Amino acid sequence: MDLDAFTAVHGADWMRLDELTARRRLSGPEADELLRLYQRASTHLSIVRSVAPEGPLSAGLSMRLARARTKFTGNRSAALTDLSRFFLYSLPAAFYRVRWLTAAIGAAFVLVAWLSGWWALNTPGVLAAMGTEAEMRQYAEEDFVDYYNPSVGFAGMVWTNNAWIALQSVAFGVTGVWVPWILLQNAVNVGMSGALLAAHGRLDVFFTYILPHGFMELTAIFIAGAAGLRIFWALVAPGRTPRMAALAREGRSLITVGLGLILVLFVSGLVEGFVTPSPLPAWLRLSIGFLVFCAYWAYTLILGGRAYRAGHRGDLAARDAGAEALTA
């Protein structure tokens, strides 16, 4: 077959297909014409491929057809649309879903930390087991404060470490034991550190260096733990939904929490890297940390509540999540 002659005969149809594809809006007759030309060009492509499957004419027709297919089937939403949907609906709705469990985990964490500190201060030999008197004084008077280094590197290290812990809590929460174990370890460590500084008369230093970033950082860990436990509960008690379907839905919905916490912990890392160790007055550092904390809860309760009541749960859109098998 002479490809040049074939092009000369059908080139006008292909050019018309390009013209219709490029138009922003089509009338009803033009849409019908686009579909007819698309079907005709598909036949032409099959003929060309039987003669020269790797030639430039075959490649050109394939590109024309791909553009036309996108025109009448539609394409995926733009990146900015997806981002706005994520931050305005999916993420706040996912945070909103775990709000009560987040608060319960936070209360349990504070209680365990307080009990650990009280036990360490009031039980003979506990603090002594943590090191020599010189080592504990060095930690209380220098090392605790010197840990906070006002630099980009320190903020980045804190961010990546905490984000990794949060993602682990969400991902491994399905085991049912990972989240309680991690939270218990951290609560005891916080309580013991507070007891050590309190024993050396520096409890005020402990709070002024823990709380500015700790308001949001610890809350983020509680959120991650709540998401992980929700995924575990979907496995234990799926309700009337098949177990694997319930687990998949909760996993998709709540991994959104893990992704959102990367950004939340980025802000927390900036506070820890530049506000906590700064020479600002203690009241101002505490106020900045508390404002970040309040901003999170306003985002969750206002935007999240609105998105949740509108039916959003943090799950993927139907086209991405896929179909579920119908069950009786």
Side-chain angles (χ1 to χ4, degrees), residues 14-306:
W14 303 340
M15 294 295 290
R16 178 60 177 168
L17 179 64
D18 287 343
E19 180 186 342
L20 293 173
T21 300
R23 290 188 183 178
R24 188 167 184 178
R25 295 175 181 240
L26 297 175
S27 65
E30 287 173 338
D32 292 338
E33 183 184 5
L34 174 67
L35 184 56
R36 287 195 303 271
L37 290 173
Y38 174 83
Q39 294 170 334
R40 194 177 301 165
S42 297
T43 303
H44 296 160
L45 178 60
S46 299
I47 295 171
V48 171
R49 280 180 172 171
S50 67
V51 178
E54 303 297 331
L57 183 57
S58 176
L61 275 173
S62 295
M63 292 179 62
R64 280 188 166 97
L65 289 169
R67 289 194 297 266
R69 187 181 310 115
T70 299
K71 181 69 176 179
F72 63 74
T73 61
N75 56 1
R76 291 183 57 83
S77 56
L80 289 178
T81 302
D82 288 338
L83 281 175
S84 63
R85 174 186 169 83
F86 179 79
F87 286 111
L88 294 177
Y89 301 106
S90 298
L91 182 59
F95 282 157
Y96 187 82
R97 289 183 63 207
V98 297
R99 66 196 186 284
W100 291 117
L101 188 53
T102 297
I105 289 174
F109 184 96
V110 171
L111 178 62
V112 171
W114 183 84
L115 289 175
S116 299
W118 180 87
W119 174 72
L121 275 175
N122 293 279
T123 303
V126 174
L127 291 179
M130 297 173 67
T132 65
E133 179 58 32
E135 290 172 339
M136 289 190 291
R137 185 169 297 279
Q138 170 77 16
Y139 177 81
E141 296 182 355
E142 296 182 25
D143 293 347
F144 180 78
V145 173
D146 290 345
Y147 166 77
Y148 298 98
N149 179 17
S151 67
V152 174
F154 175 70
M157 179 196 71
V158 167
W159 174 39
T160 53
N161 178 66
N162 289 334
W164 176 237
I165 292 174
L167 286 172
Q168 284 181 312
S169 295
V170 177
F172 299 149
V174 69
T175 63
V177 297
W178 179 270
V179 170
W181 174 244
I182 289 294
L183 290 173
L184 178 64
Q185 280 187 315
N186 280 276
V188 171
N189 288 339
V190 169
M192 299 296 275
S193 295
L196 197 153
L197 266 74
H200 290 83
R202 292 174 63 82
L203 189 60
D204 58 331
V205 174
F206 174 78
F207 284 117
T208 55
Y209 274 81
I210 282 288
L211 289 181
H213 62 276
F215 280 125
M216 194 64 253
E217 181 180 280
L218 289 174
T219 300
I221 300 304
F222 304 155
I223 297 164
L229 291 177
R230 281 292 297 262
I231 295 172
F232 167 69
W233 192 246
L235 183 65
V236 173
R240 302 183 67 180
T241 306
R243 197 175 304 275
M244 288 298 102
L247 181 62
R249 185 169 58 245
E250 283 293 270
R252 287 193 309 268
S253 299
L254 295 174
I255 201 65
T256 301
V257 170
L259 296 175
L261 287 180
I262 294 175
L263 299 177
V264 171
L265 287 167
F266 174 74
V267 177
S268 174
L270 291 178
V271 174
E272 186 168 359
F274 296 101
V275 176
T276 296
S278 73
L280 294 172
W283 67 267
L284 184 54
R285 286 181 282 156
L286 290 168
S287 297
I288 292 172
F290 188 67
L291 283 174
V292 172
F293 172 79
C294 290
Y296 163 79
W297 280 108
Y299 174 76
T300 296
L301 297 178
I302 297 173
L303 280 184
R306 186 181 304 160

